[in-house]
Amino acid sequence: MPRRSRSDLSPREFRDALLDNAFAYLGGSVDRFVDLMHPKARRYVHPVKDGRGRMQRRATLEALKAARAAFEAELAAKRLEEIRAAALLERIVPTALPPARASLEGAQAIHQMAEDLRTMATRGDGVTAFDLRRVGWTNAQISAHVDAARELGYERENGVAA
C-alpha cells in the first residue's frame, strides 16, 4: 500500500469530499475532474500531481473549488453586466421609442400624426400607411385623420399659424 503524507486526504475522504461538493472524476485516458453543479460550463480540472505522478488529493480538491469559484464569479459578473444594460435601457427606451398612438383621439391624434408625417418626410422617399402603422397608428386612425394631419403638417412646415 502506497504511503500518503499526513496532510493529504485518504481515498475515502477524497471520494466523500468529491460527492459532497458535486465533483466527478473522469478516469481512464481522460484523467480529469468535472464540476457537476455547472456541467454545461465544460470546465475540466486536471488532478494536481506530485513529482512522481501521484495525485495530491487535497490540492486537487482545492483546485476544483477554486475553479468553481472562478466560474461563479464570471457568472456573477455577467449577471451584473446584464442588470446594468437593463438599467440603461430603462433610462433610454422612453426617449427612444415613440409614444403610444393607438390610444390617441381627435385633435391630439391629428397633431401627433402631423408631427410623425413631418418627421418621416425628412427621409425623402414619402410616407406610406405602412410607415404610420409601424410607429403605432391603427388603420382606422390613419383613414380618419391622415388628411387633416397632412394639412396641419404642411401648415407647420410652411410657417402658417395653426
Side-chain angles (χ1 to χ4, degrees):
M1 175 178 234
R3 299 180 85 190
R4 68 179 172 92
S5 70
R6 292 268 182 221
S7 65
D8 206 7
L9 300 171
S10 71
R12 182 183 198 107
E13 290 171 332
F14 185 60
R15 186 197 69 211
D16 291 345
L18 290 177
L19 291 173
D20 290 346
N21 291 289
F23 296 120
Y25 179 63
L26 306 174
S29 63
V30 177
D31 193 32
R32 293 181 191 161
F33 290 88
V34 66
D35 186 350
L36 297 175
M37 289 182 73
H38 303 288
K40 292 188 179 182
R42 303 207 190 295
R43 291 185 180 236
Y44 303 102
V45 176
H46 293 281
V48 177
K49 297 187 177 186
D50 64 8
R52 292 189 241 167
R54 292 184 304 200
M55 183 185 340
Q56 299 296 307
R57 294 181 203 89
R58 186 177 306 277
T60 299
L61 185 61
E62 295 306 317
L64 288 165
K65 289 179 180 179
R68 176 182 287 164
F71 180 68
E72 288 175 349
E74 282 180 34
L75 289 178
K78 206 179 282 187
R79 275 189 237 117
L80 182 62
E81 186 58 36
E82 289 170 359
I83 289 169
R84 284 183 183 153
L88 177 64
L89 282 176
E90 248 180 59
R91 285 197 333 250
I92 65 172
V93 164
T95 59
L97 291 178
R101 284 146 170 86
S103 62
L104 298 177
E105 296 177 1
Q108 194 178 15
I110 293 169
H111 285 283
Q112 182 62 52
M113 191 179 290
E115 191 59 35
D116 288 345
L117 288 170
R118 287 180 58 206
T119 302
M120 290 178 195
T122 60
R123 67 177 188 217
D125 55 345
V127 180
T128 65
F130 175 77
D131 296 327
L132 292 172
R133 281 193 303 272
R134 191 174 55 197
V135 295
W137 294 104
T138 64
N139 287 334
Q141 287 174 311
I142 293 169
S143 61
H145 304 301
V146 74
D147 293 330
R150 187 178 296 124
E151 206 172 294
L152 179 61
Y154 179 77
E155 289 172 0
R156 284 182 182 170
E157 191 68 31
N158 293 313
V160 179

